[in-house]
mmCIF file of all heavy atoms in Angstrom:
data_model
loop_
_atom_site.group_PDB
_atom_site.id
_atom_site.type_symbol
_atom_site.label_atom_id
_atom_site.label_comp_id
_atom_site.label_asym_id
_atom_site.label_seq_id
_atom_site.Cartn_x
_atom_site.Cartn_y
_atom_site.Cartn_z
ATOM 1 N N ILE A 621 95.272 11.165 -35.397
ATOM 2 C CA ILE A 621 95.390 12.577 -35.369
ATOM 3 C C ILE A 621 96.860 12.912 -35.936
ATOM 4 O O ILE A 621 97.886 12.302 -35.321
ATOM 5 C CB ILE A 621 95.209 13.123 -33.901
ATOM 6 C CG1 ILE A 621 93.816 12.857 -33.537
ATOM 7 C CG2 ILE A 621 95.396 14.775 -33.954
ATOM 8 C CD1 ILE A 621 93.670 13.186 -32.109
ATOM 9 N N ILE A 622 96.883 13.838 -36.870
ATOM 10 C CA ILE A 622 98.216 14.180 -37.383
ATOM 11 C C ILE A 622 98.384 15.692 -37.026
ATOM 12 O O ILE A 622 97.532 16.540 -37.129
ATOM 13 C CB ILE A 622 98.130 14.130 -38.879
ATOM 14 C CG1 ILE A 622 97.813 12.772 -39.360
ATOM 15 C CG2 ILE A 622 99.624 14.502 -39.449
ATOM 16 C CD1 ILE A 622 98.636 11.617 -38.991
ATOM 17 N N ALA A 623 99.590 15.971 -36.419
ATOM 18 C CA ALA A 623 100.030 17.270 -36.044
ATOM 19 C C ALA A 623 100.741 18.001 -37.115
ATOM 20 O O ALA A 623 101.644 17.433 -37.837
ATOM 21 C CB ALA A 623 100.942 17.204 -34.814
ATOM 22 N N HIS A 624 100.426 19.204 -37.377
ATOM 23 C CA HIS A 624 101.000 20.062 -38.403
ATOM 24 C C HIS A 624 101.535 21.358 -37.895
ATOM 25 O O HIS A 624 101.519 21.677 -36.591
ATOM 26 C CB HIS A 624 99.952 20.410 -39.407
ATOM 27 C CG HIS A 624 99.229 19.201 -40.126
ATOM 28 N ND1 HIS A 624 99.729 18.333 -40.911
ATOM 29 C CD2 HIS A 624 98.004 18.759 -39.836
ATOM 30 C CE1 HIS A 624 98.958 17.402 -41.246
ATOM 31 N NE2 HIS A 624 97.862 17.724 -40.553
ATOM 32 N N ASP A 625 102.059 22.268 -38.643
ATOM 33 C CA ASP A 625 102.583 23.460 -38.192
ATOM 34 C C ASP A 625 101.424 24.454 -37.681
ATOM 35 O O ASP A 625 100.251 24.048 -37.971
ATOM 36 C CB ASP A 625 103.340 24.156 -39.295
ATOM 37 C CG ASP A 625 104.590 23.596 -39.742
ATOM 38 O OD1 ASP A 625 105.135 22.740 -38.911
ATOM 39 O OD2 ASP A 625 105.103 23.828 -40.843
ATOM 40 N N ASP A 626 101.793 25.387 -36.953
ATOM 41 C CA ASP A 626 100.798 26.443 -36.501
ATOM 42 C C ASP A 626 99.699 25.923 -35.533
ATOM 43 O O ASP A 626 98.584 26.430 -35.405
ATOM 44 C CB ASP A 626 100.084 27.158 -37.582
ATOM 45 C CG ASP A 626 101.028 27.767 -38.648
ATOM 46 O OD1 ASP A 626 101.918 28.318 -38.207
ATOM 47 O OD2 ASP A 626 100.897 27.625 -39.850
ATOM 48 N N SER A 627 100.129 24.887 -34.796
ATOM 49 C CA SER A 627 99.221 24.376 -33.811
ATOM 50 C C SER A 627 97.970 23.766 -34.292
ATOM 51 O O SER A 627 96.924 23.630 -33.725
ATOM 52 C CB SER A 627 98.916 25.380 -32.744
ATOM 53 O OG SER A 627 99.952 25.859 -32.108
ATOM 54 N N LEU A 628 98.024 23.310 -35.690
ATOM 55 C CA LEU A 628 96.819 22.647 -36.323
ATOM 56 C C LEU A 628 96.988 21.132 -36.339
ATOM 57 O O LEU A 628 98.058 20.473 -36.494
ATOM 58 C CB LEU A 628 96.846 23.065 -37.689
ATOM 59 C CG LEU A 628 96.490 24.479 -38.011
ATOM 60 C CD1 LEU A 628 96.285 24.762 -39.548
ATOM 61 C CD2 LEU A 628 95.318 25.032 -37.226
ATOM 62 N N LEU A 629 95.885 20.505 -36.106
ATOM 63 C CA LEU A 629 95.633 18.993 -36.135
ATOM 64 C C LEU A 629 94.767 18.667 -37.146
ATOM 65 O O LEU A 629 93.813 19.313 -37.346
ATOM 66 C CB LEU A 629 95.149 18.473 -34.761
ATOM 67 C CG LEU A 629 95.940 18.843 -33.401
ATOM 68 C CD1 LEU A 629 95.326 18.277 -32.251
ATOM 69 C CD2 LEU A 629 97.395 18.409 -33.599
ATOM 70 N N SER A 630 94.962 17.573 -37.851
ATOM 71 C CA SER A 630 94.043 17.031 -38.870
ATOM 72 C C SER A 630 93.601 15.722 -38.156
ATOM 73 O O SER A 630 94.484 14.897 -37.715
ATOM 74 C CB SER A 630 94.529 16.856 -40.199
ATOM 75 O OG SER A 630 95.728 16.105 -40.314
ATOM 76 N N VAL A 631 92.254 15.541 -38.221
ATOM 77 C CA VAL A 631 91.714 14.283 -37.537
ATOM 78 C C VAL A 631 90.955 13.523 -38.481
ATOM 79 O O VAL A 631 90.114 14.119 -39.237
ATOM 80 C CB VAL A 631 90.865 14.740 -36.292
ATOM 81 C CG1 VAL A 631 90.291 13.472 -35.652
ATOM 82 C CG2 VAL A 631 91.550 15.692 -35.389
ATOM 83 N N TYR A 632 91.320 12.156 -38.551
ATOM 84 C CA TYR A 632 90.541 11.280 -39.522
ATOM 85 C C TYR A 632 89.896 10.186 -38.733
ATOM 86 O O TYR A 632 90.603 9.432 -37.985
ATOM 87 C CB TYR A 632 91.664 10.793 -40.517
ATOM 88 C CG TYR A 632 92.507 11.750 -41.055
ATOM 89 C CD1 TYR A 632 93.615 12.297 -40.334
ATOM 90 C CD2 TYR A 632 92.404 12.206 -42.328
ATOM 91 C CE1 TYR A 632 94.470 13.139 -40.759
ATOM 92 C CE2 TYR A 632 93.366 13.082 -42.827
ATOM 93 C CZ TYR A 632 94.438 13.587 -42.090
ATOM 94 O OH TYR A 632 95.224 14.494 -42.627
ATOM 95 N N GLY A 633 88.614 9.952 -38.998
ATOM 96 C CA GLY A 633 87.925 8.892 -38.184
ATOM 97 C C GLY A 633 87.198 7.967 -39.065
ATOM 98 O O GLY A 633 86.813 8.168 -40.154
ATOM 99 N N ASN A 634 86.688 6.881 -38.309
ATOM 100 C CA ASN A 634 85.820 5.832 -38.943
ATOM 101 C C ASN A 634 86.631 4.973 -39.914
ATOM 102 O O ASN A 634 86.229 4.749 -40.996
ATOM 103 C CB ASN A 634 84.706 6.428 -39.612
ATOM 104 C CG ASN A 634 83.496 5.491 -39.777
ATOM 105 O OD1 ASN A 634 83.361 4.507 -38.937
ATOM 106 N ND2 ASN A 634 82.869 5.460 -40.890
ATOM 107 N N PHE A 635 87.831 4.366 -39.465
ATOM 108 C CA PHE A 635 88.657 3.618 -40.298
ATOM 109 C C PHE A 635 88.385 2.060 -39.981
ATOM 110 O O PHE A 635 88.015 1.676 -39.020
ATOM 111 C CB PHE A 635 90.181 3.885 -39.962
ATOM 112 C CG PHE A 635 90.748 5.104 -40.643
ATOM 113 C CD1 PHE A 635 90.835 6.398 -40.000
ATOM 114 C CD2 PHE A 635 91.195 4.932 -41.979
ATOM 115 C CE1 PHE A 635 91.294 7.468 -40.595
ATOM 116 C CE2 PHE A 635 91.801 6.038 -42.672
ATOM 117 C CZ PHE A 635 91.831 7.218 -41.883
ATOM 118 N N ASP A 636 88.850 1.389 -40.991
ATOM 119 C CA ASP A 636 89.193 -0.087 -40.889
ATOM 120 C C ASP A 636 90.494 -0.272 -39.999
ATOM 121 O O ASP A 636 91.503 0.328 -40.435
ATOM 122 C CB ASP A 636 89.212 -0.801 -42.099
ATOM 123 C CG ASP A 636 89.804 -2.215 -41.950
ATOM 124 O OD1 ASP A 636 89.038 -3.070 -41.638
ATOM 125 O OD2 ASP A 636 90.976 -2.467 -42.387
ATOM 126 N N LYS A 637 90.314 -0.791 -38.931
ATOM 127 C CA LYS A 637 91.440 -0.876 -38.061
ATOM 128 C C LYS A 637 92.695 -1.480 -38.591
ATOM 129 O O LYS A 637 93.890 -0.923 -38.480
ATOM 130 C CB LYS A 637 91.113 -1.726 -36.735
ATOM 131 C CG LYS A 637 92.170 -1.832 -35.712
ATOM 132 C CD LYS A 637 91.728 -2.657 -34.530
ATOM 133 C CE LYS A 637 92.813 -2.900 -33.526
ATOM 134 N NZ LYS A 637 92.532 -3.675 -32.347
ATOM 135 N N ASP A 638 92.698 -2.639 -39.327
ATOM 136 C CA ASP A 638 93.810 -3.230 -39.800
ATOM 137 C C ASP A 638 94.486 -2.421 -40.864
ATOM 138 O O ASP A 638 95.603 -2.274 -40.853
ATOM 139 C CB ASP A 638 93.431 -4.576 -40.515
ATOM 140 C CG ASP A 638 92.903 -5.582 -39.481
ATOM 141 O OD1 ASP A 638 93.292 -5.501 -38.311
ATOM 142 O OD2 ASP A 638 92.212 -6.492 -39.925
ATOM 143 N N SER A 639 93.755 -1.635 -41.696
ATOM 144 C CA SER A 639 94.338 -0.874 -42.784
ATOM 145 C C SER A 639 95.036 0.302 -42.173
ATOM 146 O O SER A 639 95.952 0.747 -42.531
ATOM 147 C CB SER A 639 93.292 -0.375 -43.893
ATOM 148 O OG SER A 639 92.426 0.531 -43.387
ATOM 149 N N LEU A 640 94.385 0.990 -41.155
ATOM 150 C CA LEU A 640 95.016 2.045 -40.499
ATOM 151 C C LEU A 640 96.267 1.771 -39.764
ATOM 152 O O LEU A 640 97.267 2.451 -40.002
ATOM 153 C CB LEU A 640 93.925 2.618 -39.440
ATOM 154 C CG LEU A 640 94.423 3.859 -38.610
ATOM 155 C CD1 LEU A 640 94.555 5.097 -39.612
ATOM 156 C CD2 LEU A 640 93.449 4.211 -37.532
ATOM 157 N N HIS A 641 96.269 0.607 -39.147
ATOM 158 C CA HIS A 641 97.465 0.292 -38.327
ATOM 159 C C HIS A 641 98.627 -0.255 -39.310
ATOM 160 O O HIS A 641 99.777 -0.074 -38.907
ATOM 161 C CB HIS A 641 97.050 -0.829 -37.263
ATOM 162 C CG HIS A 641 96.522 -0.143 -36.082
ATOM 163 N ND1 HIS A 641 97.185 -0.251 -34.805
ATOM 164 C CD2 HIS A 641 95.341 0.509 -35.927
ATOM 165 C CE1 HIS A 641 96.468 0.396 -33.994
ATOM 166 N NE2 HIS A 641 95.279 0.911 -34.592
ATOM 167 N N SER A 642 98.182 -0.924 -40.364
ATOM 168 C CA SER A 642 99.201 -1.315 -41.341
ATOM 169 C C SER A 642 99.920 -0.160 -41.907
ATOM 170 O O SER A 642 101.091 -0.293 -42.357
ATOM 171 C CB SER A 642 98.676 -2.364 -42.352
ATOM 172 O OG SER A 642 97.727 -1.609 -43.199
ATOM 173 N N ASN A 643 99.351 0.856 -42.079
ATOM 174 C CA ASN A 643 99.910 2.210 -42.771
ATOM 175 C C ASN A 643 100.571 3.018 -41.901
ATOM 176 O O ASN A 643 101.527 3.708 -42.179
ATOM 177 C CB ASN A 643 98.892 2.918 -43.520
ATOM 178 C CG ASN A 643 98.405 2.232 -44.772
ATOM 179 O OD1 ASN A 643 99.149 2.129 -45.844
ATOM 180 N ND2 ASN A 643 97.016 1.773 -44.862
ATOM 181 N N LEU A 644 100.256 2.962 -40.532
ATOM 182 C CA LEU A 644 100.723 3.896 -39.527
ATOM 183 C C LEU A 644 101.605 3.501 -38.429
ATOM 184 O O LEU A 644 102.150 4.163 -37.639
ATOM 185 C CB LEU A 644 99.599 4.894 -39.065
ATOM 186 C CG LEU A 644 98.870 5.936 -40.082
ATOM 187 C CD1 LEU A 644 97.908 6.722 -39.432
ATOM 188 C CD2 LEU A 644 99.997 6.600 -40.881
ATOM 189 N N GLN A 645 101.375 2.206 -38.171
ATOM 190 C CA GLN A 645 102.098 1.531 -37.009
ATOM 191 C C GLN A 645 103.511 1.859 -37.061
ATOM 192 O O GLN A 645 104.155 1.495 -37.995
ATOM 193 C CB GLN A 645 101.754 -0.001 -36.945
ATOM 194 C CG GLN A 645 102.264 -0.561 -35.700
ATOM 195 C CD GLN A 645 101.525 -0.240 -34.514
ATOM 196 O OE1 GLN A 645 100.243 -0.097 -34.495
ATOM 197 N NE2 GLN A 645 102.079 -0.125 -33.443
ATOM 198 N N GLY A 646 104.000 2.405 -35.972
ATOM 199 C CA GLY A 646 105.393 2.718 -35.881
ATOM 200 C C GLY A 646 105.944 3.959 -36.652
ATOM 201 O O GLY A 646 107.115 4.402 -36.549
ATOM 202 N N LYS A 647 105.042 4.626 -37.323
ATOM 203 C CA LYS A 647 105.349 5.827 -38.082
ATOM 204 C C LYS A 647 105.391 7.086 -37.186
ATOM 205 O O LYS A 647 104.568 7.156 -36.318
ATOM 206 C CB LYS A 647 104.495 6.127 -39.170
ATOM 207 C CG LYS A 647 104.888 5.457 -40.529
ATOM 208 C CD LYS A 647 104.176 6.033 -41.688
ATOM 209 C CE LYS A 647 104.658 5.495 -42.992
ATOM 210 N NZ LYS A 647 103.899 6.190 -44.218
ATOM 211 N N THR A 648 106.282 8.043 -37.386
ATOM 212 C CA THR A 648 106.188 9.297 -36.664
ATOM 213 C C THR A 648 105.900 10.488 -37.669
ATOM 214 O O THR A 648 104.983 11.154 -37.454
ATOM 215 C CB THR A 648 107.438 9.587 -35.748
ATOM 216 O OG1 THR A 648 108.449 9.452 -36.726
ATOM 217 C CG2 THR A 648 107.561 8.611 -34.689
ATOM 218 N N LYS A 649 106.796 10.498 -38.649
ATOM 219 C CA LYS A 649 106.624 11.609 -39.675
ATOM 220 C C LYS A 649 105.798 10.990 -40.765
ATOM 221 O O LYS A 649 105.865 9.785 -41.139
ATOM 222 C CB LYS A 649 108.015 12.120 -40.226
ATOM 223 C CG LYS A 649 108.987 12.758 -39.212
ATOM 224 C CD LYS A 649 110.182 13.246 -39.880
ATOM 225 C CE LYS A 649 110.910 14.079 -38.876
ATOM 226 N NZ LYS A 649 112.299 14.674 -39.454
ATOM 227 N N ILE A 650 105.142 11.962 -41.400
ATOM 228 C CA ILE A 650 104.180 11.538 -42.547
ATOM 229 C C ILE A 650 104.074 12.742 -43.486
ATOM 230 O O ILE A 650 104.319 13.810 -43.093
ATOM 231 C CB ILE A 650 102.752 11.175 -42.074
ATOM 232 C CG1 ILE A 650 101.922 10.527 -43.111
ATOM 233 C CG2 ILE A 650 102.005 12.424 -41.454
ATOM 234 C CD1 ILE A 650 100.722 9.797 -42.606
ATOM 235 N N GLU A 651 103.923 12.365 -44.780
ATOM 236 C CA GLU A 651 103.970 13.403 -45.780
ATOM 237 C C GLU A 651 102.530 13.513 -46.526
ATOM 238 O O GLU A 651 101.696 12.542 -46.521
ATOM 239 C CB GLU A 651 105.003 13.008 -46.948
ATOM 240 C CG GLU A 651 106.377 13.057 -46.388
ATOM 241 C CD GLU A 651 107.397 12.750 -47.485
ATOM 242 O OE1 GLU A 651 106.998 12.470 -48.725
ATOM 243 O OE2 GLU A 651 108.649 12.809 -47.212
ATOM 244 N N ALA A 652 102.314 14.638 -47.139
ATOM 245 C CA ALA A 652 101.083 14.974 -47.765
ATOM 246 C C ALA A 652 100.957 13.831 -48.841
ATOM 247 O O ALA A 652 101.700 13.354 -49.533
ATOM 248 C CB ALA A 652 101.158 16.327 -48.448
#
């Protein structure tokens, strides 16, 4: 789940666990 401005969340589901964690593990900020 990614938090954006205006109290909006974008939710992305049904991932390969390893690819998701290798890209996001330890990240806080993210860009488009």
Side-chain angles (χ1 to χ4, degrees):
I621 301 175
I622 308 297
H624 307 283
D625 292 340
D626 302 316
S627 302
L628 294 185
L629 305 178
S630 58
V631 184
Y632 313 77
N634 203 38
F635 277 98
D636 170 75
K637 179 181 177 181
D638 291 338
S639 70
L640 180 66
H641 280 246
S642 65
N643 284 294
L644 294 186
Q645 188 67 38
K647 270 195 175 183
T648 53
K649 292 184 178 181
I650 194 165
E651 296 182 355

